[in-house]
Amino acid sequence: MSEPGPFPPTAPPPRRVEPGLYLVATPIGNLRDMTLRALDVLAAADLVLAEDTRVTAKLLTAYGLKAKLERCDDHASSRAAELAIERLRNGEVVALVSDAGTPLVSDPGFVVARAVIAEGLPVHPIPGPSSLLAALCIAGLPADRVLFAGFLPPKTAGRKSMLEDLKSQRQTLVFFESGPRLRDSLTDMAAVLGPRPAAVARELTKLFEECVRGSLDELAVHPKLDGPKGEIVVVVGPGEAEVASAADADAALAEALTRLAPGEAASEVSRALDLPRKPLYRRALELQGK
């Protein structure tokens, strides 16, 4: 196995960091995942807004950087937004980072970004590590259509209610979860969503990175998922589409015919229920007695 080499001499030189708010992705575990552009921005920043200043201070120290740090957690995001706007109006560079990963994804930085955008001030993404995308890459499940649902509610009743709302979605579902709640969440997912294929990814980019795959009911009792620590990403495959019954089609057609001509009603129901249009058109005429 070869050792990583130096940067090639043809690597593009750093550009001047213009004034604006920069949403900087930071490593989710492996510090070598920090991008060169992220380092350029943090080196040039007049102010760094951080979810936890202690965590960000360690990151900056690892790269020999120093910056003015201000807290931007759930309790301080409104104040951080005011501070960012003030600095940006003075032509300064402001960086926003979360504890790990891409800011604004289940993150208090959303308040800051929205406020800055509302003021018409420049906002720039500095892409990089993301646990959501990392988990999708290794889950082995369809990633062409994805619905990110964030954290499920902590109580069973709330979880099941949210999962019922998501049950009809035909995309791959992605959730964040904590170790202590993982087993209960997987049990509720299996009960509501059924035995869909899924994957549980944890310790992403770290030494003990792991992805456990199986159906939701298998994962709910999987011994490898006993007492996991840290934040976890759960990826759930899309459910199978339910074929609409003749009664469903008739009910939809009857409602549509109160508003539309038979041809238009057939087209609307065809799109809504994913059924062929011609039989629906014939049925629409029958329902109208034509």
Side-chain angles (χ1 to χ4, degrees):
M1 183 172 63
S2 61
E3 293 294 326
F7 297 120
T10 55
R15 296 182 180 179
R16 170 182 164 79
V17 180
E18 300 293 338
L21 174 65
Y22 292 82
L23 311 178
V24 182
T26 56
I28 59 177
N30 191 321
L31 284 180
R32 291 192 65 82
D33 287 336
M34 195 72 173
T35 70
L36 297 178
R37 190 168 173 228
L39 292 173
D40 292 340
V41 169
L42 292 177
D46 299 293
L47 173 67
V48 176
L49 300 175
E51 186 175 2
D52 187 325
T53 55
R54 295 165 299 180
V55 172
T56 301
K58 291 178 182 178
L59 175 69
L60 295 176
T61 299
Y63 288 101
L65 300 176
K66 294 182 179 180
K68 169 69 174 175
L69 289 169
E70 290 287 346
R71 189 163 55 101
C72 181
D73 58 16
D74 288 323
H75 304 292
S77 56
S78 295
R79 168 60 186 150
E82 295 173 1
L83 185 58
I85 291 169
E86 177 185 337
R87 293 296 193 96
L88 293 172
R89 284 176 175 160
N90 290 332
E92 297 184 17
V93 173
V94 179
L96 172 65
V97 301
S98 62
D99 286 350
T102 302
L104 277 64
V105 180
S106 289
D107 180 80
F110 171 71
V111 173
V112 177
R114 182 169 60 177
V116 171
I117 290 169
E119 292 294 319
L121 296 166
V123 179
H124 307 286
I126 306 298
S130 164
S131 59
L132 188 160
L133 295 177
L136 276 172
C137 288
I138 62 173
L141 295 168
D144 53 337
R145 298 179 65 207
V146 176
L147 191 157
F148 172 60
F151 285 94
L152 287 167
K155 303 290 186 179
T156 292
R159 271 197 301 268
K160 287 188 172 181
S161 177
M162 182 172 172
L163 290 167
E164 286 287 354
D165 290 340
L166 296 171
K167 186 176 181 179
S168 62
Q169 299 295 326
R170 299 303 166 209
Q171 307 99 321
T172 291
L173 305 175
V174 183
F175 304 91
F176 285 166
E177 193 50 275
S178 65
R181 294 204 302 255
L182 178 62
R183 185 73 72 190
D184 289 340
S185 288
L186 289 171
T187 299
D188 290 340
M189 288 180 194
V192 176
L193 302 178
R196 297 190 190 185
V200 175
R202 58 182 182 173
E203 297 292 298
L204 289 168
T205 76
K206 300 178 184 178
L207 181 61
F208 298 107
E209 176 180 280
E210 183 175 38
C211 184
V212 184
R213 305 171 185 87
S215 64
L216 281 173
D217 51 339
E218 291 170 342
L219 292 175
V221 296
H222 202 293
K224 280 191 174 183
L225 300 179
D226 286 332
K229 297 180 180 179
E231 291 188 358
I232 294 160
V233 185
V234 181
V235 184
V236 181
E240 296 182 2
E242 297 180 4
V243 179
S245 67
D248 292 334
D250 278 0
L253 282 171
E255 190 283 325
L257 287 170
T258 65
R259 301 177 283 104
L260 303 169
E264 294 171 325
S267 296
E268 180 180 281
V269 175
S270 174
R271 291 190 297 270
L273 300 184
D274 195 23
L275 295 172
R277 181 184 178 281
K278 286 186 178 179
L280 289 172
Y281 177 61
R282 290 195 295 268
R283 183 56 179 157
L285 294 177
E286 291 174 1
L287 291 174
Q288 280 206 331
K290 295 181 179 181

